[in-house]
Amino acid sequence: MATPRLAAKIESEEPALRLAVLIDADNAQAAVIEGLFAEIARFGVATVRRIYGDFTAPTSSSWKKVLQRYAIKPVQQFAYTTGKNSTDSTLIIDAMDLLYTRKFDGFCLITSDSDFTGLAMRLREEGLTVFGFGEKKTPEAFRNACHKFVFTEILRPSTAAEPVGLPQKSGSEQKPVSPLTPAELAEPKLKFPKNFVLSALEQSSDDSGWAHLGAFGSYLTKLEPDFDARLYGYKKLSDLIKAKPDLFVIEERQAPGSNQKVLYLRAK
């Protein structure tokens, strides 16, 4: 379960966490690299950047074109036998070595492979924050083992739409309140999970029924690490909330000791 410290860092625009970024080249796409590092920058600083795979294989040609540009260190793993994946083992060993240096606040695991579920759980047990990045095919076990999971389909720079293929939740759809970028339009919207969101709001609200937007967003992530407003056609959680006046009442309040205003909401 995500800690209050994690929630504060996720909501902050200031990079705070020292992150080790480990990429499984066999189960990740080079096409999302720009969006990937832009997303990671929201959570912290990518201090270590490593990618694991057989870069002598033709299938790795797309990765070789971006390694130098994004300062990613390649870790070569030859495919000695068919059906054996030494890439996974090397990535896991490196992750544990980095863990015991005690120099990092968290890890970014870029893979769609459920074999890394145990690694994510082990890192969490050590009190580190785990961010997962993978395709829509990523098994639920790995997604839920991360504090936060981001579907890489929403990071693609393409405008071509393809089905997201995620479990549908009950509710209603509505158009976004602001235009999305080409990367954000790469995937069509899912059906809005009305019952889930309202239940989360009830659990995160105070005795008067009001909830701070940051606390509400943090609670959503605790329940569903892969929850992301962009999957439903909105750039931010606040945009999603403002676009649904039939479900939410919103109120801007002055933050204590600051000139800034913060958003509160309650169920209608």
Side-chain angles (χ1 to χ4, degrees):
M1 182 175 290
T3 63
R5 177 170 173 263
L6 165 66
K9 290 185 184 298
I10 290 179
E11 292 298 324
S12 173
E13 295 182 359
E14 294 291 331
L17 299 177
R18 288 171 55 88
L19 301 173
V21 179
L22 307 180
I23 305 172
D24 175 13
D26 298 334
N27 289 283
Q29 300 294 323
V32 304
I33 193 68
E34 183 176 357
L36 174 67
F37 279 106
E39 189 75 9
I40 291 173
R42 294 179 56 230
F43 305 124
V45 179
T47 306
V48 167
R49 304 180 181 193
R50 298 181 186 175
I51 184 168
Y52 302 78
D54 183 2
F55 300 102
T56 64
T59 54
S60 298
S61 60
S62 58
W63 278 113
K64 288 188 285 187
K65 296 177 181 177
V66 301
L67 296 184
Q68 186 173 5
R69 179 182 176 187
Y70 291 95
I72 306 172
K73 178 182 177 180
V75 180
Q76 172 65 30
Q77 289 299 304
F78 293 100
Y80 294 109
T81 58
T82 304
K84 301 293 183 180
N85 193 345
S86 59
T87 298
D88 292 7
S89 300
T90 304
L91 191 156
I92 292 170
I93 291 171
D94 273 12
M96 298 309 294
D97 287 343
L98 293 170
L99 165 65
Y100 289 122
T101 66
R102 305 299 178 187
K103 294 180 180 179
F104 302 95
D105 301 303
F107 281 73
C108 297
L109 304 178
I110 294 82
T111 182
S112 302
D113 192 341
S114 63
D115 289 346
F116 294 101
T117 302
L119 173 61
M121 294 173 65
R122 181 70 179 87
L123 295 171
R124 288 182 63 134
E125 288 174 357
E126 290 292 328
L128 298 183
T129 304
V130 182
F131 299 101
F133 299 82
E135 297 178 321
K136 58 193 177 186
K137 65 182 181 181
T138 305
E140 187 176 17
F142 177 64
R143 303 202 310 259
N144 290 336
C146 301
H147 288 99
K148 174 67 178 177
F149 188 88
V150 178
F151 288 103
T152 54
E153 280 82 2
I154 63 176
L155 305 178
R156 293 181 185 276
S158 170
T159 57
E162 61 179 82
V164 175
L166 297 174
Q168 300 292 309
K169 299 177 183 179
S170 60
S172 59
E173 287 186 297
Q174 190 160 339
K175 295 181 180 179
V177 296
S178 57
L180 299 181
T181 65
E184 292 161 329
L185 286 170
E187 292 291 323
K189 293 174 290 183
L190 294 178
K191 186 176 293 184
F192 179 66
K194 174 182 174 182
N195 294 335
F196 163 69
V197 171
L198 290 177
S199 177
L201 176 58
E202 181 181 1
Q203 295 298 320
S204 58
S205 60
D206 58 22
D207 292 340
S208 63
W210 289 92
H212 182 279
L213 179 66
F216 172 56
S218 174
Y219 193 73
L220 285 173
T221 304
K222 292 177 186 178
L223 296 177
E224 295 285 350
D226 55 12
F227 182 88
D228 194 315
R230 290 169 293 185
L231 292 171
Y232 308 102
Y234 301 89
K235 298 177 71 173
K236 299 181 295 185
L237 178 61
S238 57
D239 291 340
L240 186 154
I241 298 303
K242 292 176 182 178
K244 298 191 177 295
D246 57 320
L247 297 179
F248 307 105
V249 177
I250 60 175
E251 182 179 286
E252 286 190 342
R253 301 180 186 177
Q254 195 79 26
S258 171
N259 293 327
Q260 295 183 339
K261 291 186 176 181
V262 293
L263 191 68
Y264 282 78
L265 68 152
R266 65 174 174 84
K268 194 163 187 179

